[in-house]
Amino acid sequence: MAIVHYARFNIQLQDNKDVETNAAEWQNVLHDAAIEGYADDFEVFYLAEKDIVGVSIPYEDGDRMVLLEAGSVLGFCLACYEKSDLPSMNQSWLSLHDEKDQTIFSTM
């Protein structure tokens, strides 16, 4: 049985009175970007306690091609994020997580 890990693109929003509205807008943009980037399987998420939205793509640990495909989709999401004019973000980064949501690697 293969172990599933997750490749993620994360965006930390600015904590302000509009953070919930901004998170919903970002989730819509990221959802559309993942579909346009040809993601087969993905989840758009919002971690309210940390004001983080993002896209998470599962891949089997050790399957380099699937990880490359996930990276391609996340790169497309990053490009859409950079072109958008949505407000209130602090920073963005890429990360890899294990099946228990522990960070394996992060660019931040």
Side-chain angles (χ1 to χ4, degrees):
M1 179 183 230
I3 298 173
V4 176
H5 287 181
Y6 301 89
R8 292 186 181 161
F9 173 53
N10 308 278
I11 301 170
Q12 185 174 38
L13 304 175
Q14 291 179 359
D15 186 17
N16 61 37
K17 65 180 174 79
D18 297 324
V19 71
E20 296 288 328
T21 300
N22 294 338
E25 290 179 33
W26 276 112
Q27 286 179 291
N28 287 333
V29 167
L30 293 173
H31 179 269
D32 292 348
I35 291 172
E36 291 173 22
Y38 301 109
D40 291 330
D41 187 12
F42 69 94
E43 178 184 0
V44 175
F45 62 89
Y46 173 50
L47 305 174
E49 66 279 358
K50 296 181 181 179
D51 297 326
I52 295 174
V53 296
V55 177
S56 181
I57 300 177
Y59 69 95
E60 290 183 9
D61 185 33
D63 189 338
R64 293 178 181 161
M65 287 307 296
V66 176
L67 180 57
L68 285 173
E69 290 172 3
S72 175
V73 172
L74 295 180
F76 188 81
C77 291
L78 173 62
C80 291
Y81 150 80
E82 289 175 345
K83 290 178 184 176
S84 76
D85 59 355
L86 291 177
S88 301
M89 70 69 122
N90 282 333
Q91 58 191 344
S92 67
W93 68 97
L94 299 170
S95 59
L96 299 176
H97 300 263
D98 68 13
E99 69 279 4
K100 296 179 182 175
D101 202 28
Q102 298 298 310
T103 302
I104 299 169
F105 178 82
S106 177
T107 58
M108 185 170 108

